[in-house]
Amino acid sequence: MNANDDLATSLQRNRISRRQVLWLLGASALSGCASSPVGGGSILVGMSEDEEKAVDQKVAPQQFSQDLGAVQDAQINQYLTEVGRRLDGKTHRPQMPYSYRVLNANYVNAYTFPGGAMGVTRGILVDLDNEAELAGLLGHELGHVNARHAAQRQGQAMVASVAATGINIIGSAAGFGGLTDIGTQLGASVLLSSYSRDNEREADALGQEYMVRAGYPASGMVGLQQLLVDQEKASPGMLQTMFSTHPMSSERRDTARQMAESKYAASNKRDTGRERFMDSTASLRRIKPTIEACQKGEVALSRKEFGKAEGSFRSALAATPRDYAANVLMAKCLSAQDKDAQALEYAQAATKIYPQEAQAQKMVGVLALAQKDPAKAYEHLDRYDRLIPGDAGVTFLKGVSLEGMGRKQDAASQYAAYLRRTQKGKAAEYAYSRLQGWGYVK
């Protein structure tokens, strides 16, 4: 009996093993030249402006959900939007559909998609000192959008593909830029991968220009970069993601300081907006101990120091029991230790704390499969699918859940939908084998 037949038999008997659950999760894991709007020179881009916007619509919700969604605080999200609006009207591309949200993620970072959909993690926001530093952070991300860095890198990827395979540029563009499947073609891992140091320098320069245009002191950019340099030395593990996507150096801080003291010297008499920043972020800063405990837990979890991670997450939950992120992270930590029944309790608690956010729904679905409860698994996977449509892996797992419930026809529909997305990999092999075994394909 092969692995596909073995899994099918286990589903029939509702005796799916942990090894098979892990196999399912691994098998279903998916996740031209133009004028530069900044300098007017010719740049190679792989996406038109409409495609940049379409990428945001298709991919950004998935990534923001991976970072546990926007914080449930309308006031702080509105404040971030107000600062962003003050800046984006002064950029080279004010027509882009910019949007801003504070994310529940604890790691220290901010990022934007090519059309201007921006996320700022709560982990970095609680470490900023004033609104000018926040403006420097948002200005830097706006610099990436306005210089079209993601689009340029996509164009470079297309050229590399052409060089490697000998296909023509039009065929490559269709493969990379086609919007029917752009989420799986591109993915956040490609769009948000490391910018070059030249990209970072340009984004710094543009960000400092935009914040000065918007009425902020240029020293805000210096303060931001000094903060990051200091934290890189003090807690490098907590900044790992920030520095993988935004290469940092004291040279960039020194350049920002030089510009603040020369070209933008007159701006430094302006108010940094510290009082307004402190008032607007007070609710988030109150739970800074929870955020810091989660940061330590995530660093330990990445090192597979599960006992240490669990202790940190328990500290976070003791301080803020209804913190969505802490409950999700505790569930992940417990599941990594094969404590799936306990993990399920925390994941279910997270769905009640924040029912509009998708990640906990997916986690409950996966853990329910491990607990041999395919009906509950399907219920929560379907909720995830309605909140964030288009995750092929979830489509496959819905098929597995339905098969476990004995609903072959419905399972076949999910497997067929999955195969329309991809025909490669173990999940595709399994889906095809079930359709073949049930007589839907020959």
Side-chain angles (χ1 to χ4, degrees):
M1 182 179 291
N2 63 31
N4 291 339
D5 292 337
D6 188 34
L7 175 57
T9 301
S10 296
L11 286 170
Q12 263 184 346
R13 297 174 179 173
N14 201 18
R15 292 180 181 174
I16 185 171
S17 68
R18 179 167 180 80
R19 176 182 59 80
Q20 288 171 323
V21 169
L22 294 174
W23 181 91
L24 285 168
L25 294 179
S28 63
L30 294 172
S31 346
C33 287
S35 174
S36 168
V38 173
S42 180
I43 56 174
L44 178 66
V45 298
M47 291 180 278
S48 68
E49 187 171 289
D50 284 343
E51 286 175 324
E52 287 177 294
K53 295 173 184 177
V55 165
D56 284 35
Q57 292 173 0
K58 184 94 177 188
V59 184
Q62 302 276 355
Q63 179 61 38
F64 294 145
S65 180
Q66 285 289 324
D67 280 328
L68 306 180
V71 298
Q72 298 174 76
D73 188 326
Q75 180 182 351
I76 199 165
N77 281 300
Q78 180 59 35
Y79 171 64
L80 187 73
T81 298
E82 287 171 2
V83 177
R85 290 279 177 264
R86 182 172 166 181
L87 289 160
D88 64 40
K90 305 297 183 181
T91 65
H92 293 83
R93 305 173 77 190
Q95 78 282 3
M96 296 300 284
Y98 298 105
S99 61
Y100 308 86
R101 73 277 298 143
V102 180
L103 300 167
N104 278 302
N106 301 293
Y107 67 96
V108 177
N109 205 0
Y111 56 85
T112 187
F113 285 86
M118 192 179 303
V120 175
T121 68
R122 67 181 191 172
I124 194 169
L125 194 60
V126 295
D127 282 334
L128 299 177
D129 188 60
N130 55 55
E131 191 172 299
E133 290 183 359
L134 176 58
L137 181 67
L138 299 184
H140 176 92
E141 297 305 326
L142 289 167
H144 283 305
V145 176
N146 281 267
R148 305 192 71 189
H149 287 153
Q152 287 184 59
R153 285 178 16 258
Q154 189 59 23
Q156 291 157 3
M158 287 161 51
V159 170
S161 176
V162 171
T165 63
I167 60 176
N168 62 62
I169 191 73
I170 296 173
S172 180
F176 278 94
L179 300 183
T180 56
D181 214 13
I182 204 162
T184 54
Q185 294 281 357
L186 297 177
S189 61
V190 175
L191 288 168
L192 302 179
S193 61
S194 295
Y195 289 114
S196 71
R197 292 205 177 268
D198 284 344
N199 286 162
E200 292 297 340
R201 291 185 185 104
E202 186 174 23
D204 285 346
L206 288 169
Q208 203 165 22
E209 177 184 342
Y210 297 153
M211 64 186 294
V212 171
R213 287 185 187 178
Y216 292 102
S219 58
M221 182 67 81
V222 183
L224 168 69
Q225 301 217 27
Q226 183 64 57
L227 166 72
L228 295 173
V229 169
D230 290 345
Q231 289 200 5
E232 182 184 23
K233 294 174 183 175
S235 306
M238 295 181 191
L239 288 163
Q240 185 174 4
T241 304
M242 179 70 171
F243 289 103
S244 71
T245 55
H246 296 276
M248 193 61 204
S249 71
S250 56
E251 175 231 340
R252 289 174 53 201
R253 175 205 58 202
D254 294 344
T255 300
R257 180 180 289 130
Q258 181 184 3
M259 294 299 289
E261 292 174 352
S262 57
K263 182 178 180 180
Y264 302 123
S267 75
N268 292 318
K269 297 177 182 177
R270 297 170 180 169
D271 180 17
T272 62
R274 189 172 195 275
E275 185 175 349
R276 182 168 55 248
F277 176 82
M278 289 294 170
D279 288 346
S280 300
T281 61
S283 60
L284 200 59
R285 287 185 295 103
R286 272 196 293 271
I287 63 165
K288 187 172 181 178
T290 298
I291 295 169
E292 290 176 338
C294 286
Q295 288 175 334
K296 291 174 183 175
E298 288 186 85
V299 171
L301 193 57
S302 71
R303 295 171 179 166
K304 298 186 178 179
E305 298 171 350
F306 299 124
K308 186 176 179 180
E310 186 175 334
S312 293
F313 297 139
R314 289 199 186 282
S315 295
L317 287 165
T320 315
R322 289 185 56 78
D323 186 68
Y324 175 78
N327 277 276
V328 170
L329 290 167
M330 178 61 93
K332 286 184 178 180
C333 182
L334 291 168
S335 180
Q337 299 174 75
D338 297 346
K339 301 175 181 177
D340 287 341
Q342 295 177 53
L344 184 57
E345 292 178 12
Y346 285 97
Q348 288 181 138
T351 65
K352 293 172 183 174
I353 293 165
Y354 195 178
Q356 308 96 317
E357 214 297 300
Q359 286 307 305
Q361 303 290 350
K362 184 177 184 179
M363 186 173 292
V364 170
V366 168
L367 290 167
L369 269 179
Q371 291 295 294
K372 303 177 177 59
D373 191 345
K376 178 180 281 189
Y378 178 79
E379 175 190 351
H380 287 275
L381 290 167
D382 190 54
R383 286 182 191 170
Y384 176 96
D385 209 14
R386 280 183 271 125
L387 288 166
I388 304 184
D391 186 322
V394 167
T395 300
F396 174 75
L397 292 175
K398 284 171 67 177
V400 170
S401 302
L402 288 163
E403 184 178 353
M405 295 161 66
R407 294 168 55 181
K408 287 185 181 180
Q409 187 171 347
D410 292 333
S413 176
Q414 295 295 323
Y415 289 148
Y418 178 78
L419 289 168
R420 286 195 291 272
R421 298 285 303 276
T422 181
Q423 290 81 46
K424 296 180 180 179
K426 295 293 185 182
E429 289 177 15
Y430 181 80
Y432 186 80
S433 75
R434 302 315 293 142
L435 292 177
Q436 191 174 45
W438 294 335
Y440 288 100
V441 296
K442 294 183 180 180

